[in-house]
Amino acid sequence: MRLALGLALLLSMTPMIGEPPVPFPDLAPLEKEVGEQLAAAQQRLTALASAAGPRAQGLAAAYGDLGMLYHAYGLREPAEACYRNAARLAPGDSRWPHALGLLLQEGGRLDEAAAAFERALRLQGTDVAALVHRGEIARLQGRSEEAEDWLRKALAVDPSCAAARAILGQTALDRRDFTAAVKRLEAALAAVPEANRLHYLLAQAYRGLGEPAKAQEHLAKAGQVGVRPADPFADEIEALRTGERVRLARARTAYQNGRYGEAAALYRTVVADRPDRVEARINLAATLVQLGDRAAAVAELKEALRRDPASPTAHFNLGTLLALEGPSAEAREHLAAAAAALPQDAEAHRALAEILRNSGRPEEALAEYARAVAIDPADERARLGEAETLVRLERYQPARERLEEGLRVLPRHGLLTHGLARLLAACPDRSLRDGARARDLAFAVWQAQPTAGHAETVALANAETGDCAEAARWQRIALEAAGSLPGKIQEMKARLATYEKRAPCRP
Amino acid sequence: MADACRLRSRTASALLAGLLLAAPARPAPQPAFVDRAAEWGLAFRYDNGATGQLYYPEIVGGGAALFDYDNDGDLDVFFVQGAVLEPGKAAAHPIAPAGGRLFRNDLIVNGVRHDKPRFVDVTEASGIKALGYGMGVAAGDFDNDGWVDLYVLNFGSNQLWHNNGDGTFSDVTRAAGADDPRMSLSAATADLDRDGWLDLYVADYVDFAIDHNVLCYAQSSRRDYCGPSSFPPVPARLLHNRGNGTFEDASQKAGIAAKPGRGMGVVAADFDGDGLPDVFVANDGMENFLWKNHGHLTFEETALPAGVAVNADGKVQANMGIAAGDFDDDGDLDLFVTHLDGETNTLWVNLGGGTFEDRTLQAGLAAPSLPFTGFGTAWIDYDDDGRLDLLAVNGAVRLIDAQAQRGDPFPYAQTHQMFHNAGNGRFADVSREMGEAFQRAEVGRGAAFGDVDDDGDTDVLIVAANGPARLLVNETGSRNPWLGLRLVGQPPGAKGERDMLGALVEVVRKGAPPLRRRAATDGSYASASDPRVLVGLGDAAEVTDVRVTWPDGRIEIFPPPPLRAYTKLVQGTGRIPSPPASPRP
């Protein structure tokens, strides 16, 4: 490493003969593995540059390869110099102007990026990715018609190019041609249904068409998954990135996308190289939980805490995992440690509250719930837990007050609405009941989420109003929705029998 | 044929060269803006206290206020200051000057106007000890005594400095119940419930703690500051002014506590034309909030259906500074929000009734903003041509590797930008014509806007992280005719006149559309601007009347004020417009 770095620094002061010099950045502040990777590529280039004989093609590739590496690590200035030299030495190779176009587009230098992509397209007219990028750039420059020309060319080469269709939808929207926008965006969405960001665009288009209901429908489905233009060359550049942090980032992406096996393998490589990387170990444990190996996860977390006894995340995760086996003292201790270390973390206080409640320490639980709500008034679960704990303590009036207050702060939130409906339908203190309101609330929850439990609450509320027939009907709906839940079914059937008797059936 | 073309081309070049040689030498164009901070005594450097730990607050502060604290008619300046966050390192990294600084403008002394401003640091005499980690500042007369108070936003507890009216301030934070211990960057000062008392919407940022610092890295694998997603969002705080010197935390009651955000910029203004000030919050790395005011301090978050939560592509952006103004003269407030490099700044055009459409691309504002990270911003008519232009103060938050390679200790510098409003919905990047101040790279953050030298054009006060503050003095705007208006009133129970923040002015002109401007100190980033309204008139300077819609909803008509001067319009002294004639049956 030292030898390679020494050479690199020397080279930066020695311009190459024939080609403009490329800056060789200082690699010392970079991660060791990254620095070594870059230094090796720099050495290859140096060796080729100083070799005698015909060298243009080999040297072009060496410049291009080094440019791609710099590019991968966001070192734009040297990457640009490398790409330009590569293109100069191999003027017939479309890869280097394409790569330069990507680099310049990323840096917001759109005019130069457009010129680079056009050079690439002159060399390879069927480069769909370059056509799409060129269209993207024209759109960003406010030239929607020109953008559409480029994108249509992309579709002529590859009619399945979803990115081109999506951007065409956007250009129609830019021109306020809402009818065309709907048509194009619907086509793009059909090709890539997971691209939920297109729903936002469709919502805008339907709003423009004066169809608010459809606009609202799409807004409700809108998310942040877009259509990325397929670009094998960009993928190749991204794949060059190496090092612990890249592995961690890739593992995180794999985890977020549900590829838990891949995530676990990546985390394991990091932990194997650096056993002291507590964060990686914690994330490995989280991944193992997703893979169903809870015991291994507990072991990793215990190891993480052995190495960093203060790690609040390790305490929180271990406490949460252990609590799944029951409210043990060990679980409680870990959750208490997490809450103490994270005084502003509502989730930590709520988790501690839950285990305290389940350990038969309701007063302490109430204090923790209150802390969670104070930190994050939007913590619906904490608000519900607080009310449930009050119910367990037979403090029904304060429980109802907490739920009502929760719904004022978080109107129409399902957990709180359902909790209040349940209390109003079946509160042991009958003076607090309000069957009609319970029915309205429970029905609203059922409409939003038709589950067995929600149907059962509608049934309870109807029973409270004295409408036993309706209660029975809803209990049947609940039973149907429940399918076969052993234990629960018997209880539900018994309640149905009570309703069917049509005698007073108040719960 | 080819040869002929070439010959023609050569001939044309030769002719052109001859013309150029023959042309008389022209004087160098005068720069539109000149930095006169040092010349006028405004020596200040915002020091973020960085010691290499890369604590998150270091990359997002600071701001400044342009306000007339001594009521002498000119704009004074308050800067917030950073501090060393790393425990035990303060002695090794002394910050000079420490704490926020107050500078008095001596443009006008004892009623006598001098030819240019001169600033004097009066911090010690003022009694202000703003020694927290300063992020931003808001200004407003919270107790209606006729003297503007200051609200200093910190990483940690905020401070409310009461203006005693004798050149001194008192820290009344605790007594007033105005603290907010979270990391706050910007606050909007507005009478949200129209009771005559200014309330505060404090846009809190993220849940960050020194002892839970997160290590983040640049794409190169070099250590760098984190992005906002590394830290949980937090709810904002709405401080309701009870009118008795105290504030009530109305965040829960108002409904805003239910939605944690990463607020960087905030503006309180009536976006839907119902007469009530709504609140727009620019959230970093998440959807923006548009809190629709339903009255009685109840709000509903409507950004997504209103079209301002995300950009035209449906993408969540890193939303930072805000400008709210009627740039297209259609009678409603449009929004411009600055963003991260790689994203575009965004122009949301109000379609009427508080529904917006992102027209960044069509306006020509997308491409020029891509390489820059914008913070402070405002709609200013820098050339007084009657059209609102845009200024963006830039500075990166992600390490610029080329600068780091050159050994820059704080490698985040970028240049600022000015976009000229062409009047047809499009803007042109005219930064190169603005002078050296727009060619110099620095780490721009907060910016306050106002006419510091009272010459009828808008000047810009820029706070740069780890760099000198800049006072960009507008040298060209007042060549066109202009109107300066200070909108004041005395709400019931008030002891003095105060600026009626939230008032809307409509300048009615002969043969040209009316110009609508808003009296406000909020918006931009982490800063408070001149509450006076400056209206450039361009070539349509015949004003027939001035209509003011006051924050309480009343409308008054004032006769045309004199041009090229500031005029105070006092609520209740104008003419009440006649109601529209009833239609005949």
Side-chain angles (χ1 to χ4, degrees), chain B residues 43-47 81-84 90 93-99 101 121:
Chain B
F44 179 80
R45 176 188 168 89
Y46 179 83
D47 189 332
Q81 179 60 292
V84 174
H93 183 123
I95 289 182
R101 308 303 291 180
D121 186 338

Side-chain angles (χ1 to χ4, degrees), chain B residues 309-322:
Chain B
V310 292
N311 72 1
D313 298 344
K315 280 186 191 165
V316 162
Q317 295 178 290
N319 304 280
M320 306 203 192
I322 308 172

Side-chain angles (χ1 to χ4, degrees), chain B residues 34 147 212 229 261 473:
Chain B
V34 175
W147 299 90
H212 293 117
S229 61
V473 177

